[in-house]
Amino acid sequence: MASELAAARPASPDGTPLQVLRRLDSGPRGLTDAEAEARLAAVGENTVPEVRTPSWPLRWMRSLRDPFTAVLLCLGLVSTLVASWGTAAVILGLVAVSCVLRATGEHRADRSMAALRELVAGTATVLRRTAGGEEPRAREVPVTELVPGDVLRLGPGDLVPADVRLLRARGLTVHQAALTGESAPVAKAAVEEPGLGERGPFGQPHLCFQGSSVATGTATAVVVETGERTRFAAAHGTAGLGRAGRTGPSAFDSAFDRSVRGISWVLIRFMLLTPPLVLMANAALRGRGLETLPFAVAVAVGLTPEMLPVIVTLCLARGTRQLAGAHGVIVKRLPALHDLGAVDVLCVDKTGTLTQDRPVVERALDADGHDDPEVLRWAAVGAWWSLQLAELPAPDALDEALLEAAGAVGEEHDGVAAVPFDPVRRLATAVVRGRFGRHVLIVRGAVEDVLERCALEPAERERLRRLAAREADAGLRLLALATADRAARTGDYTPADERGLTFRGLIAFRDALAPTAAEALRGLAEAGVTVKILTGDHPGTAARVCRDLGIDVGEVHTVGPGPGGDGALAAAAARTTVFARCTPDDKARVVAALRAAGHTVGFLGDGANDVPALRTADVGVAPRAACGIARGSADVVLADKDLTAIGHAVTAGRRASGNIASYLRVTLSSNLGNVIAMLVAGLLLPFLPMLPVQVLVQNLCFDAAQSSFAHDRPGRAALRRPTVLRPRAFLRFITGFGALNAVADFATFAVLALVLWGPDALNDEAVFHSAWFTENLLTQALVMVLLRTGRGEGGRRRLPGPVGRAAAVLALVGLLLPASPLGPPLGMTGLPLPYYLLLAVVLVPYGLALAAAVRRYERRVPGADAPGTKTPVTEEGAPARVN
């Protein structure tokens, strides 16, 4: 039991292999089945905790956090207390519909995510013994059953299933992009006395970590940490808490939450003030007290955009369904779709996003720096025979690029021997037959290591170093080539033969660009989205990729503590396009600095090193092939790591946000005008200007018509800018257009006063209520058509589509309902034809004035053809240039 308890405690991977094995109470022959079973019971399975799926009641409670939903619930309860059963039923029904739609949409997204979850690896090859005295046998065991002290074997293509300390290694390189963001494989070796890595534990050659994968070579290693104690799981942090794991400014608020809350609380204050004002005014001027309470509640409801939770949920749910069906994009959190539409800065990792995660040959240079195809040919010959004679399962990334660039080479020579790549000496050698009785050694490897083995004068060696440094500064990855002509022999070739070489030249590689990256970047720039690159790669490499894609790089910033702390970082974030050598925390700090500067920030990442930034961003995006931790922390999951898919998602977000903005513009301006008119009319008239049931029916008709905004398609102009629901801009807009609507209502009052002037002046309540009911629905139909978001190409307003059809139906209801059999129960009556002509006297000037006001507003306010949008600006306030 002591050994199991010792294995359950963290074991330091430092020290010699023998010391680590002793600390883990293991040995080179691995564990017995009984030992492994006991340790598994003590330390638990080798799994990373998954995000818990919330229950249905919890989903409902989350839906009620929406400010308007909460206010509607309160108004429904108040209506119940004053026995206004119809109003209460409708309001509470809207609340229930909104909660069901939102909870159902999120449940559907969770089910899609569950279908995407994949295990990090299925099985691992470990050395296990049935009993202590038996010889160990290599066997495949589930990754979940690995325990500290297990000795496992790794080969090309294997995923590292736990944190391990290397015992033996041959030509081992691993991909650590999921942990560090570095695109190039990292050399590893089973060094006896490891020192402190230059870049922390990930830079130490004797350690490999869960989440990385073997690129080349083989190794035997001992497991030191499993499950939630691995560094891969440590990056998970509080991912199980979902978006609560966020950091940075307004960590618990998305852009959608902040904007809707800003508008909500202003309107909520008006709604809370309205009933007391109505009650006090009627009591003081008309002697009517509590009998006006139902009317006061109806007025408050009239100011409320009752359908906002439903419209928002419908718009976002419809957009997420279309994204999932057409582009394979899964939106896990409905408000994240709006946040995508509001994104004006998108931060991406270079590896796998802008590049294809593989190198390609840029050019081959001779010792004088001139292009020389023979250098490429000899390097490809060496790669070919290394692959054949070293019994490698597949070429590494650089050798594969050489063979692809050189074409069919190698078979014209006879291979003799190969000394495979070693991460310590950083060389690979192939030997082929040359002239009669001669062998040719072809040595490829790191520039410095090849130069050390060449017969060169010090001045010449220094010149070649400068040549290599010049190419490296241009963002190219270099491989040096040297050859030697030796007498043929039958003995084995060893690294000792790599001496006295003749330097032949350099092969320069660049990262292969993603085929859709350049076009996608142009599309994002046209949409007003600034792209910033956050990478763990070398500054020169990152800058080269950006230049190849046509991105204005400017100064590449290397993130670090430095003077000025986060204040200096915030200043750098505003002007910098490329951030290199970023650690996971550095990426999160850059994203937080951009958010603090007022930007809505999206982050695209796929590795454990991207998790802090994914949580910090307003909207985190990960591809389907990302590690499980990144997928669990993201709000949006893409079918592929492709910026084109981001463009589709941004467009869908702006379309949904544009429709939400249209609804808010229309309903708030119309409601505000009606409320102002009702408050004034309530003080001037000897009767209530509209019965509570009539207010309710009017709202129901208007709300039903406005549900068409969920199916509208805003014009292209509305999709060219980030969409943000800005409270101040909306309040200015609805105040101006609400006042215009109130003027139309007052004009209606004046016309009705003239018509009804006589002994019973304004005492015909049914006629007044019917005329005003009809006028209200007609003006609201006009507002729906004229205030909807977006123009068509060439500045022409598009055909209304579903909104226009809904507005036409609304107008017909306003004209026909008072004269229908439903009119008398609602306190209304049919109007003679002259009354409709008089209403036209009011409506025609109102429609012309409204159209003129809209044109003036769109000319005066930049981007007003898509109200609620923002145009990127510089610190001086001028329109920004988007790279």
Side-chain angles (χ1 to χ4, degrees), residues 319 322-324 326-331 337 340-341 346 348 352-353 514-517 519-521 523-524 604 619 621-624 636-654:
Q322 290 176 339
L323 272 178
H327 305 290
V329 177
I330 296 173
V331 180
L337 184 63
L340 276 170
L346 176 65
V348 302
T353 304
T516 60
E519 181 180 354
L521 287 171
L524 289 170
L604 172 62
V619 54
V621 185
R624 182 181 303 177
V636 179
V637 178
L638 308 178
D640 300 297
K641 194 174 183 181
D642 186 356
L643 286 178
T644 303
I646 292 281
H648 292 310
V650 167
T651 299
R654 292 184 181 179

Side-chain angles (χ1 to χ4, degrees), residues 12 38 49 115-116 176 208 273 332 392 424 489 559 565 668 776:
S12 171
L116 293 178
Q176 295 187 158
C208 294
L273 288 174
K332 296 165 53 181
L392 300 176
V424 175
R489 73 184 195 208
V559 183
L668 293 181
N776 270 337

Side-chain angles (χ1 to χ4, degrees), residues 321-510:
R321 286 197 302 271
Q322 290 176 339
L323 272 178
H327 305 290
V329 177
I330 296 173
V331 180
K332 296 165 53 181
R333 187 176 57 88
L334 285 183
L337 184 63
H338 168 271
D339 295 345
L340 276 170
V343 163
D344 60 334
V345 175
L346 176 65
C347 298
V348 302
D349 190 7
K350 175 186 70 66
T351 305
T353 304
L354 305 180
T355 65
Q356 297 186 60
D357 227 354
R358 66 180 182 87
V360 294
V361 174
E362 174 72 8
R363 59 178 178 269
L365 307 174
D366 61 17
D368 295 323
H370 302 137
D371 291 337
D372 187 350
E374 277 297 296
V375 173
L376 174 61
R377 190 182 73 81
W378 275 109
V381 169
W384 169 262
W385 283 110
S386 289
L387 178 65
Q388 304 302 317
L389 298 176
E391 299 181 355
L392 300 176
D396 68 12
L398 295 181
D399 284 352
E400 189 173 17
L402 288 172
L403 295 173
E404 182 179 342
V409 297
E411 295 184 359
E412 69 274 18
H413 297 277
D414 292 328
V416 176
V419 182
F421 178 82
D422 186 329
V424 175
R425 76 183 209 285
R426 300 195 299 173
L427 298 174
T429 298
V431 183
V432 299
R433 297 187 190 278
R435 294 177 292 113
F436 181 74
R438 309 294 292 182
H439 286 171
V440 178
L441 276 69
I442 308 171
V443 181
R444 324 177 303 287
V447 174
E448 193 62 36
D449 295 272
V450 170
L451 288 176
E452 286 180 1
R453 291 162 174 80
C454 291
L456 296 170
E457 295 294 329
E460 178 65 7
R461 184 177 282 109
E462 184 60 31
R463 184 187 69 81
L464 291 172
R465 286 196 183 103
R466 290 196 300 270
L467 173 63
R470 184 188 69 193
E471 296 297 319
D473 290 341
L476 297 173
R477 196 181 307 166
L478 298 176
L479 188 71
L481 176 71
T483 61
D485 189 18
R486 303 283 170 79
R489 73 184 195 208
T490 57
D492 292 337
Y493 283 87
T494 68
D497 295 301
E498 299 165 343
R499 294 287 185 273
L501 306 177
T502 300
F503 185 81
R504 297 297 297 269
L506 301 169
I507 300 94
F509 300 84
R510 59 174 173 81

Side-chain angles (χ1 to χ4, degrees), residues 72 91 94 301-302 304-310 663 667 671 699 703:
L72 282 176
I91 293 175
L94 289 173
V301 173
T304 307
E306 302 100 319
M307 288 290 289
L308 179 60
V310 177
Y663 167 76
T667 191
N671 288 358
N699 287 343
D703 290 341

Side-chain angles (χ1 to χ4, degrees), residues 585-762:
D585 288 340
D586 290 337
K587 293 182 180 182
R589 289 172 57 214
V590 172
V591 171
L594 290 167
R595 290 187 68 204
H599 296 285
T600 303
V601 183
F603 183 87
L604 172 62
D606 63 350
N609 63 314
D610 296 320
V611 169
L614 285 168
R615 295 186 193 145
T616 305
D618 287 287
V619 54
V621 185
R624 182 181 303 177
C627 69
I629 295 173
R631 286 202 309 266
S633 301
D635 301 302
V636 179
V637 178
L638 308 178
D640 300 297
K641 194 174 183 181
D642 186 356
L643 286 178
T644 303
I646 292 281
H648 292 310
V650 167
T651 299
R654 292 184 181 179
R655 183 175 291 119
S657 299
N659 289 338
I660 294 170
S662 287
Y663 167 76
L664 282 172
R665 297 174 68 202
V666 169
T667 191
L668 293 181
S669 58
S670 180
N671 288 358
L672 181 63
N674 287 339
V675 166
I676 293 173
M678 278 193 283
L679 290 176
V680 174
L683 300 178
L684 298 178
L685 298 176
F687 51 82
L688 291 178
M690 190 172 285
L691 300 178
V693 67
Q694 295 167 351
V695 176
L696 176 62
V697 171
Q698 174 186 281
N699 287 343
L700 278 176
C701 294
F702 196 24
D703 290 341
Q706 288 181 104
S707 64
S708 62
F709 282 112
H711 304 277
D712 195 19
R713 293 184 64 85
R716 293 183 181 179
L719 307 179
R720 293 196 184 114
R721 298 177 182 87
T723 307
V724 174
L725 304 176
R726 297 173 294 175
R728 290 185 179 179
F730 265 100
L731 291 176
R732 287 195 299 268
F733 182 91
I734 65 174
T735 300
F737 285 90
L740 184 60
N741 190 36
V743 169
D745 287 336
F746 294 147
T748 303
F749 297 162
V751 169
L752 292 175
L754 291 175
V755 172
L756 299 175
W757 190 264
D760 299 323
L762 292 180

Side-chain angles (χ1 to χ4, degrees), residues 262-338:
I263 297 172
S264 300
W265 286 113
V266 173
L267 294 175
I268 287 170
R269 292 187 186 99
F270 277 112
M271 286 185 287
L272 294 177
L273 288 174
T274 299
L277 288 176
V278 173
L279 290 174
M280 289 187 294
N282 278 274
L285 299 179
R286 294 294 178 183
R288 298 191 294 257
L290 290 178
E291 64 269 20
T292 62
L293 181 58
F295 175 72
V297 173
V299 172
V301 173
L303 184 60
T304 307
E306 302 100 319
M307 288 290 289
L308 179 60
V310 177
I311 292 292
V312 167
T313 307
L314 280 175
C315 289
L316 298 180
R318 185 169 183 267
T320 58
R321 286 197 302 271
Q322 290 176 339
L323 272 178
H327 305 290
V329 177
I330 296 173
V331 180
K332 296 165 53 181
R333 187 176 57 88
L334 285 183
L337 184 63
H338 168 271

